[in-house]
Amino acid sequence: MHPATAKWYDRRDYVFIEFCVEDSKDVEVNFEKSKFGFSCLGGTDHVKHSNEIDLFEAIDQNESKHRRTDRSVLCCLRKAESGKAWPRLTKEKAKLNWLSVDFNNWKDWEDDSDEENFDRFSEMMNSMGGEDELPDLDVADDMSADEQMQVCKKG
């Protein structure tokens, strides 16, 4: 049994963990208040993966969800206390060799004033017209962070 490689990132209301297991089968996700478990069979050789995490803070296990794709399993953990930043995923400061930060989706959301200013600037630029449009800033492998948020918000 091997831990699955995973990437994570923090948002105001959710913490996202993406387990990078291609062709996963028999996916089991266990959401508990302060613990999270993941297991599956992965790849053509059906390697058994298992991860257990003592979480940094509590989650709302009833509002947490997961979604499987051919390339990964995305888990959306609803924070019990919204608006509180998680500096790490785990309760302990130990470095886990299978876990890394997803810098493509990481966003320093604690200072929303910059985001609001950018949104106002973007609206102003778009209202001016012209041929050049502002690029989409959310870049992810399969889904943008906004699309991932929509997955979490849907029932």
Side-chain angles (χ1 to χ4, degrees):
M1 206 174 323
H2 303 281
T5 302
K7 303 182 290 187
W8 81 282
Y9 63 97
D10 183 38
R11 286 292 193 265
R12 179 175 302 285
D13 300 323
Y14 296 93
V15 172
F16 292 90
I17 308 170
E18 183 176 17
F19 292 94
C20 306
V21 179
E22 291 189 19
D23 301 322
S24 59
K25 293 174 182 41
D26 301 332
V27 174
E28 290 183 33
V29 178
N30 185 22
F31 299 108
E32 295 179 28
K33 187 174 179 77
S34 61
K35 198 179 256 191
F36 172 74
F38 170 81
S39 67
C40 73
L41 295 176
T44 54
D45 49 357
H46 303 292
V47 173
K48 175 78 172 170
H49 295 282
S50 180
N51 301 64
E52 191 167 296
I53 303 168
D54 289 320
L55 297 168
F56 179 76
E57 290 282 339
I59 61 169
D60 181 345
Q61 61 265 38
N62 297 323
E63 292 293 319
S64 297
K65 299 173 178 51
H66 74 280
R67 180 175 180 257
R68 185 197 158 284
T69 67
D70 289 341
R71 293 177 34 191
S72 66
V73 177
L74 178 66
C75 300
C76 177
L77 285 60
R78 173 79 169 173
K79 293 180 180 178
E81 190 176 334
S82 291
K84 186 172 184 180
W86 288 25
R88 62 184 179 275
L89 181 63
T90 60
K91 183 175 262 335
E92 301 297 320
K93 286 187 177 182
K95 172 80 172 128
L96 302 172
N97 62 356
W98 53 266
L99 181 65
S100 63
V101 173
D102 185 350
F103 288 107
N104 288 334
N105 287 310
W106 192 269
K107 182 174 156 183
D108 194 12
W109 55 263
E110 290 178 279
D111 183 16
D112 282 342
S113 61
D114 287 343
E115 184 175 315
E116 290 171 14
N117 289 338
F118 178 79
D119 288 343
R120 283 192 213 115
F121 176 76
S122 178
E123 287 174 26
M124 181 181 74
M125 293 299 288
N126 288 336
S127 68
M128 290 176 148
E131 296 177 10
D132 297 324
E133 293 199 22
L134 293 174
D136 182 10
L137 297 179
D138 269 335
V139 179
D141 291 334
D142 291 342
M143 292 188 293
S144 72
D146 290 337
E147 290 171 322
Q148 293 172 6
M149 288 293 288
Q150 292 306 315
V151 168
C152 290
K153 291 179 181 177
K154 290 180 184 174

